[in-house]
């Protein structure tokens, strides 16, 4: 198209168009001119005046256009680009709102059906009640209850599986879009155009259930493919195997799938389930669950996710029971995680997510999965993975597990795997935290590593991973400069998980190496830092990595996991102490200073969580004991730092109760053991242990293995147990972590409580009391009989201060 130029119709004017160009008029550009300007715009959307003049000189086809017109063209171009982006954003929001409106309409229809169903049930119940009342005086009226007989279905043939699949599908659809479950909105998850989806949890149903609905910009088949690969997004899934598969009549497929989802609580009894005890780990039943994926108008898909399980909460210790009774936990671990993962893949596919260091999203996702799975493997420590407990008699506060067959293989190049001569050693421990917000604690651990970590231990781990070398115990002394640099790599769509590289700057203390860099690099994931995420687990997992950061780098993860427990209304202020020895969050720079009200303090009183610590170290066979001792002492020092940090970040002046401080093997437990035995002799004039067993550390070990159940409880208005030997834990069927959640009155039956109340005055006055034979109740509800019980006051070293009360149950056994 030729350029249109305005001209003055003056008879005296010349015929030259260029001579009468008016820069203030509108200019039409040829296709060649537009192409040249677009090339410059792609390189620099806002060129300077000098750059525009240079453009006119270098491009002959633009030589007849004034610089002012060039400037106007770039302004208009930027304005059109901005309008295009805004229009695209509004179209995306409109599609989301349309899909969200459709979901809400479906939810409204479901609620209306539920209301109608409840009205019908109410009318039916009224009619039945009227019928019962009317027939109460009619002796000739007989009632017959019939139970429908279900045909037996054989899962070993296609017809039987088809029958099971049809029933499962019907029940799943009634949960996803029907009224089979009474759904309520997930706390803290409000729907909206910028939210991931609509989340709900069950209010009253068998087991625990969660549901998610959302819009995903992927085709249904792609979403189904992603969700079927459960190990890629559900990190507690250890194994998935399809046993059999055959086509269904409607063009679908029926599969019989074996899925192994495992988690492990720490104890000193062994590294994992034996073949005989494997049945004890089957404590969950998956009820009809699944994914409903439908294409959406305008592209993408609408997805419904339902997870419904019966976790058999009765089979776990009481302190952890709330985890297995909470639909919010299932929602965070499975339902929300699945939808977030699919949304993450969709954004990566569309190019909306940009990562640092030029890494592909799939590579960074693989790093996150490997860190998480390696940490899970260390915590679980299953025998079938090669783990075994090292020299454990049940009295250690830190468990040492060894895996002699551990290989740190890469994902893409198995030839780069490191096979250590000795293997890998893991030191792990668990503790109960009270009044410590998990999200705040994890943020502090991430931002203030020097407050709890030992740089030399990090340097040892990093050096050991380089070509399988071993730096212990002849490591070169290194000083940590205190500088920690966090280099972000990527994050999930709602920033619930961060992937980053940590560089710890260090310098050698040896003169000849003074100019050599001793920096340590760690690959780290951090999740659960949102305080409003109800039921979410908080984790900080890291592993040393080479500074070149290869895609197939071997990883040996260590870190922390904090699982929040449901608050108990029965918890009282007696579980707290009012003394504070450190400043609050502001002194440790955890975050911006805030003024907490008394209401905030009361809401944090009953905050409880379980902290699990696991550190892995490679070792050579001739250095196993040295590395084990180092690892044990290191984890103990980390626990000590945690107690200090937890006290500092406890909100509103509440001093947190951190436990178990009296775990076997700790200095506090050894001191308590001496006080227990000395007080027993002081009050009763007899010996609890033989005299030759009272020297050094042996007193604690002999007390721990004493045949009678010995328990200690606090001296409070509501006494809680603070220590028990192995027999005491066996009698109560609990663990050291759960022990501090059990009150004294819970273990006695009615007659036992009355007997204790009648003898309590004598106990406090004379220092001891003999209780008659009776019955105790374990946390699992089992009865344990005892021939006699002895109670006495445990005095501290000054023999005047009462530290706690001790009970010895003689010749106990389960009824």
């Amino acid at each position: 198209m030729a350029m249109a130029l305005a001209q003055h119709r003056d008879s005296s004017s010349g015929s030259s168009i260029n001579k009468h160009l008016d820069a203030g008029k509108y200019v039409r550009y040829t296709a060649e001119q537009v192409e040249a300007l677009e090339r410059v715009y792609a390189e620099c959307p806002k060129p300077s005046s000098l750059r525009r003049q240079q453009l006119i000189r270098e491009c002959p086809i633009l030589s007849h256009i004034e610089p002012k017109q060039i400037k106007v063209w770039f302004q208009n171009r930027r304005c059109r680009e901005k309008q295009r982006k805004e229009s695209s954003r509004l179209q995306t929001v409109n599609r989301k709102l349309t899909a969200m409106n459709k979901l809400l309409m479906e939810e409204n229809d479901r609620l209306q059906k539920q209301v109608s169903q409840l009205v019908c049930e109410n009318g039916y119940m009224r009619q039945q009640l009227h019928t019962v009342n009317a027939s109460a005086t009619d002796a000739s009226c007989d009632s017959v209850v019939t139970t429908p007989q279900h045909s037996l279905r054989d899962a070993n043939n296609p017809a039987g599986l088809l029958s099971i699949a049809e029933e499962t599908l019907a029940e799943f659809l009634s949960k996803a879009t029907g009224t089979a479950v009474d759904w309520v909105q997930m706390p803290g998850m409000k729907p909206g155009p910028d939210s991931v989806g609509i989340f709900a949890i069950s209010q009253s149903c068998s087991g625990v259930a969660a549901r998610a609905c959302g819009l995903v910009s992927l085709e249904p088949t792609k979403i189904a493919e992603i969700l079927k690969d459960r190990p890629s997004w559900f990190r507690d899934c250890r194994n998935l195997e399809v046993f059999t598969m055959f086509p269904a009549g409607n063009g679908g497929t029926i599969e019989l799938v074996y899925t192994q989802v495992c988690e492990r609580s720490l104890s000193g009894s062994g590294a994992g389930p034996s073949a005989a005890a494997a049945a004890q780990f089957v404590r969950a039943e998956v009820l009809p669950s699944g994914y409903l994926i439908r294409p959406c108008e305008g592209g993408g898909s609408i997805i419904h996710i339902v997870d419904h399980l019966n976790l058999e909460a009765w089979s776990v210790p009481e302190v952890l029971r709330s985890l297995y009774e909470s639909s919010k936990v299932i929602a965070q671990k499975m339902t929300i995680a699945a939808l977030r993962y699919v949304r993450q893949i969709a954004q990566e596919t569309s190019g909306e997510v940009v990562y640092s260091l030029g890494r592909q999203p799939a590579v960074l996702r693989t790093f996150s999965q490997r860190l998480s799975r390696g940490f899970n493997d260390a915590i679980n420590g299953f025998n079938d993975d090669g783990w075994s407990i090292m020299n454990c008699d049940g009295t250690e506060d830190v468990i040492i597990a060894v895996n002699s067959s551990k290989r740190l293989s890469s994902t893409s190049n198995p030839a780069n795997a490191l096979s250590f001569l000795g293997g890998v050693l893991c030191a792990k421990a668990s503790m109960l935290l009270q009044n410590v917000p998990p999200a705040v604690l994890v943020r502090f651990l991430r931002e203030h590593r020097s407050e709890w970590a030992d740089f030399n231990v990090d340097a040892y781990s990093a050096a050991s991973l380089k070509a399988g070398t071993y730096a212990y115990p002849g490591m070169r002394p290194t000083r940590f400069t205190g500088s920690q640099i966090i280099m972000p790599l990527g994050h999930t769509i709602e920033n619930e998980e961060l992937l980053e590289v940590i560089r710890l700057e260090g310098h050698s203390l040896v003169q000849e190496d003074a100019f050599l860099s001793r920096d340590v690099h760690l690959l780290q994931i951090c999740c659960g830092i949102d305080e409003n995420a109800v039921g979410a687990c908080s984790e900080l997992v890291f592993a040393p990595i080479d500074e070149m950061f290869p895609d197939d780098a071997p990883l040996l993860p260590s870190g922390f996991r904090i699982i929040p427990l449901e608050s108990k209304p029965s918890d009282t202020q007696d579980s707290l102490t009012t003394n504070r020895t450190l400043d609050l969050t502001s002194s440790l720079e955890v975050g911006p200073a805030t003024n907490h009200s008394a209401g905030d303090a009361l809401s944090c009183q009953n905050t409880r969580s379980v902290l699990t610590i696991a550190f892995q170290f490679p070792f050579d066979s001739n250095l196993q004991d040295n590395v084990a001792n180092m690892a044990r002492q290191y984890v103990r020092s980390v626990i000590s730092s945690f107690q200090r940090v937890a006290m500092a970040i406890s909100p509103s002046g509440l001093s947190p109760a951190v436990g178990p401080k009296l775990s076997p093997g700790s200095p506090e437990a050894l001191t308590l053991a001496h006080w227990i035995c000395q007080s027993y002799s002081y009050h009763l004039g007899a010996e609890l242990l033989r005299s030759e067993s009272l020297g050094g550390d042996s007193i604690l070990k002999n007390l721990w293995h004493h045949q009678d159940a010995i328990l200690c409880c606090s001296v409070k208005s509501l006494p809680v147990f603070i220590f028990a030997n192995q027999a005491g834990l066996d009698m109560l069927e609990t663990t050291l972590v759960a022990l501090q959640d059990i009150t004294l009155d819970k273990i006695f039956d009615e007659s036992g409580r009355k007997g204790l109340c009648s003898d309590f005055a004598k106990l406090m006055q004379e220092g001891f009391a003999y209780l008659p034979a009776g019955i105790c109740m374990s946390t699992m509800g089992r009865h344990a009989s005892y021939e006699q019980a002895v109670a006495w006051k445990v005095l501290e070293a000054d023999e005047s201060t009462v530290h706690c009360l001790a009970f010895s149950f003689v010749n106990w056994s389960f009824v």
Side-chain angles (χ1 to χ4, degrees):
M1 181 184 296
M3 183 186 302
L5 301 176
Q7 304 179 46
H8 294 286
R9 298 183 178 273
D10 194 335
S11 60
S12 61
S13 63
S15 60
S16 174
I17 295 178
N18 296 332
K19 186 176 180 180
H20 298 281
L21 175 64
D22 187 351
K25 299 295 183 179
Y26 177 73
V27 178
R28 289 188 180 274
Y29 297 90
T30 65
E32 293 79 6
Q33 290 171 333
V34 172
E35 183 180 355
L37 291 171
E38 286 287 354
R39 285 197 301 268
V40 177
Y41 180 85
E43 299 175 359
C44 179
K46 194 174 183 180
S48 63
S49 176
L50 294 177
R51 181 69 180 92
R52 293 194 299 269
Q53 293 177 5
Q54 180 185 1
L55 173 63
I56 294 175
R57 290 194 302 270
E58 295 177 352
C59 190
I61 61 177
L62 299 176
S63 59
H64 301 304
I65 302 179
E66 294 292 332
K68 182 178 180 181
Q69 291 291 351
I70 299 292
K71 178 180 180 181
V72 171
W73 186 92
F74 277 96
Q75 290 175 344
N76 293 337
R77 181 65 177 83
R78 291 193 300 271
C79 183
R80 289 196 303 272
E81 181 70 16
K82 183 178 180 181
Q83 290 176 346
R84 185 190 66 80
K85 291 182 178 179
E86 180 65 13
S87 175
S88 177
R89 188 189 69 83
L90 292 176
Q91 290 177 3
T92 301
V93 172
N94 182 62
R95 286 198 302 270
K96 289 183 178 180
L97 290 175
T98 301
M100 197 75 67
N101 181 62
K102 184 176 181 180
L103 289 176
L104 291 175
M105 291 176 63
E106 292 178 354
E107 181 70 6
N108 183 56
D109 292 340
R110 186 190 68 81
L111 292 175
Q112 289 182 354
K113 293 178 182 177
Q114 186 173 7
V115 169
S116 300
Q117 180 179 343
L118 292 174
V119 170
C120 293
E121 290 179 357
N122 184 46
Y124 176 76
M125 293 299 294
R126 288 176 179 272
Q127 181 180 359
Q128 290 293 106
L129 182 62
H130 176 73
T131 302
V132 170
N133 291 336
S135 60
T137 57
D138 187 1
S140 63
C141 180
D142 297 329
S143 62
V144 179
V145 179
T146 60
T147 303
Q149 300 295 321
H150 298 280
S151 60
L152 296 178
R153 297 160 299 174
D154 185 6
N156 294 321
N157 61 73
L161 279 179
L162 180 60
S163 175
I164 296 174
E166 290 175 347
E167 292 184 12
T168 302
L169 177 61
E171 188 172 346
F172 159 70
L173 292 176
S174 68
K175 298 174 185 178
T177 60
T179 60
V181 175
D182 184 11
W183 300 109
V184 295
Q185 181 175 303
M186 175 79 173
M189 306 291 288
K190 295 183 179 180
D194 296 327
S195 65
V196 175
I198 303 174
F199 303 102
I201 56 176
S202 59
Q203 187 174 28
S204 58
C205 71
S206 174
V208 290
R211 188 187 68 165
C213 309
L215 173 66
V216 180
S217 57
L218 291 174
E219 295 301 317
T221 54
K222 178 64 176 178
I223 296 175
E225 179 184 341
I226 294 172
L227 291 174
K228 285 179 64 177
D229 185 15
R230 289 175 69 87
S232 66
W233 57 267
F234 185 29
R235 294 177 183 175
D236 286 339
C237 181
R238 299 180 69 236
N239 185 28
L240 186 145
E241 182 179 356
V242 179
F243 279 173
T244 185
M245 177 177 62
F246 56 88
N250 58 357
T253 303
I254 296 178
E255 297 178 354
L256 182 60
V257 181
Y258 168 75
T259 304
Q260 187 181 41
V261 180
C262 292
E263 57 185 11
R264 176 67 189 275
S265 301
L266 294 182
S267 68
S269 58
S274 61
Q280 299 177 6
F281 281 76
V282 182
R283 58 174 181 227
E285 177 188 4
V286 179
L287 304 175
S289 308
Y291 318 105
L292 174 62
I293 310 169
R294 296 174 294 175
C296 181
E297 296 180 5
S301 306
I302 295 177
I303 177 174
H304 290 71
I305 302 176
V306 173
D307 291 301
H308 192 179
L309 300 93
N310 179 11
L311 298 178
E312 300 186 11
W314 56 267
S315 64
V316 300
E318 184 178 357
V319 69
L320 299 177
R321 199 163 295 168
S322 60
L323 292 177
Y324 299 85
E325 297 173 338
S326 173
S327 295
K328 295 186 284 291
V329 174
I330 293 299
Q332 291 285 358
K333 292 182 65 174
M334 299 179 64
T335 317
I336 299 176
L339 185 55
R340 280 175 172 165
Y341 185 78
V342 175
R343 288 285 301 271
Q344 183 78 20
I345 299 294
Q347 291 199 359
E348 292 173 358
T349 304
S350 63
E352 298 179 38
V353 181
V354 180
Y355 290 97
S356 303
L357 302 181
R359 300 286 173 168
Q360 292 296 323
V363 174
L364 298 181
R365 257 199 332 271
T366 301
F367 271 124
S368 297
Q369 293 167 1
R370 291 174 59 201
L371 282 173
S372 181
R373 292 190 180 281
F375 184 62
N376 286 345
D377 176 65
I379 291 180
N380 291 332
F382 291 119
N383 290 332
D384 54 1
D385 289 333
W387 291 98
S388 60
I389 295 296
M390 176 181 174
N391 299 329
C392 180
D393 60 0
T395 65
E396 288 81 7
D397 56 332
V398 178
I399 298 175
I400 303 295
V402 178
N403 192 333
S404 301
S405 61
K406 184 80 170 181
R407 288 181 60 87
L408 305 181
S409 60
S410 62
T411 56
S412 59
N413 189 2
N416 289 347
L418 298 182
S419 181
F420 298 100
L421 298 179
V424 173
L425 179 148
C426 180
K428 45 191 175 180
S430 60
M431 54 197 297
L432 184 66
L433 301 176
Q434 291 184 212
N435 317 319
V436 182
V440 176
L441 179 57
V442 166
R443 284 204 304 267
F444 179 86
L445 297 175
R446 171 177 175 263
E447 298 168 5
H448 301 270
R449 189 179 184 88
S450 60
E451 292 287 339
W452 56 268
D454 187 335
F455 177 79
N456 286 306
V457 174
D458 292 327
Y460 160 72
S461 299
S464 299
L465 287 175
K466 292 183 178 179
T469 60
Y470 300 93
Y472 187 88
M475 287 173 50
R476 291 184 177 271
T478 306
R479 177 178 62 87
F480 177 48
T481 64
S483 177
Q484 170 185 309
I485 301 175
I486 300 178
M487 298 176 285
L489 290 176
H491 57 80
T492 49
I493 54 178
E494 292 189 322
N495 293 314
E496 71 275 0
E497 181 176 290
L498 309 175
L499 178 66
E500 52 205 9
V501 171
I502 310 298
R503 189 178 76 187
L504 307 175
E505 296 184 348
H507 295 289
S508 176
L509 297 180
V510 181
Q511 185 64 31
E512 57 267 25
D513 294 340
F515 297 101
L516 297 178
S517 173
R518 294 291 178 182
D519 294 351
V520 173
H521 293 80
L522 304 173
L523 182 66
Q524 177 173 280
I525 55 172
C526 179
C527 61
I529 57 177
D530 182 6
E531 297 180 59
N532 297 321
V534 180
C537 170
S538 300
E539 285 186 346
L540 185 70
V541 181
F542 46 86
I545 194 169
D546 187 84
E547 60 183 0
M548 300 305 295
F549 190 29
D551 292 349
D552 58 354
L555 299 176
L556 194 63
S558 303
F560 314 95
R561 173 178 294 158
I562 308 175
I563 304 177
L565 303 175
E566 294 284 350
S567 298
K568 295 173 56 180
S570 59
D571 291 343
T572 66
Q573 188 68 24
D574 292 332
S575 64
L576 307 172
T577 58
T578 57
N579 298 324
R580 300 185 67 226
T581 59
L582 293 179
D583 197 1
L584 287 178
T585 304
S586 57
S587 66
L588 290 174
E589 302 176 357
V590 176
T594 55
N595 294 325
H596 299 276
S597 64
D600 296 330
L602 291 175
S603 66
C604 295
Q605 285 184 36
N606 301 325
T607 301
R608 301 180 303 154
S609 55
V610 175
L611 166 68
T612 302
I613 306 172
F615 283 84
Q616 296 191 80
F617 302 96
F619 66 90
D620 204 348
S621 56
N622 59 343
L623 295 175
Q624 176 174 327
D625 292 337
N626 292 342
V627 176
N629 291 332
M630 179 269 290
R632 183 179 290 107
Q633 294 303 320
Y634 182 54
V635 170
R636 286 174 178 168
S637 70
V638 171
I639 292 176
S640 178
S641 299
F642 263 63
Q643 294 174 354
R644 178 179 59 82
V645 171
M647 180 177 294
I649 67 177
S650 179
S652 305
L654 297 175
S655 179
V658 183
K661 293 182 179 179
L662 297 178
S663 56
S666 65
E668 294 86 354
L670 180 59
T671 301
L672 179 60
H674 280 282
W675 291 347
I676 291 173
C677 295
Q678 291 172 0
S679 300
Y680 188 91
S681 301
Y682 177 82
H683 293 300
L684 285 81
E687 291 185 353
L688 183 62
L689 301 176
R690 296 192 302 270
S691 57
E692 62 269 17
S693 304
L694 300 179
D697 297 346
S698 62
I699 184 174
L700 176 57
K701 182 169 293 187
N702 285 280
L703 183 67
W704 177 261
H705 293 291
H706 198 281
Q707 63 180 1
D708 296 334
I710 299 176
L711 302 97
C712 296
C713 68
S714 59
V715 185
K716 297 180 179 179
S717 58
L718 186 63
V720 295
F721 288 104
I722 60 175
F723 182 76
N725 66 350
Q726 184 62 64
L729 296 178
D730 293 341
M731 185 182 72
L732 297 183
E733 294 188 292
T734 186
T735 64
L736 283 172
V737 174
L739 180 68
Q740 297 184 2
D741 199 56
I742 304 174
T743 57
L744 178 61
D745 63 302
K746 288 184 178 180
I747 71 169
F748 290 104
D749 58 6
E750 187 64 27
S751 60
R753 282 192 290 268
K754 291 181 179 179
L756 179 62
C757 292
S758 62
D759 292 330
F760 191 78
K762 178 183 178 182
L763 169 63
M764 299 308 295
Q765 182 178 359
E766 300 183 9
F768 72 98
Y770 289 99
L771 305 179
I775 299 292
C776 275
M777 299 284 292
S778 77
T779 58
M780 299 299 181
R782 289 210 292 172
H783 293 76
S785 64
Y786 55 90
E787 294 182 1
Q788 187 186 48
V790 183
W792 69 98
K793 292 193 295 185
V794 176
L795 305 179
E796 295 184 1
D798 57 7
E799 296 186 353
S800 61
T801 304
V802 179
H803 181 78
C804 62
L805 299 179
F807 293 84
S808 176
F809 296 89
V810 182
N811 293 335
W812 71 272
S813 62
F814 286 113
V815 177

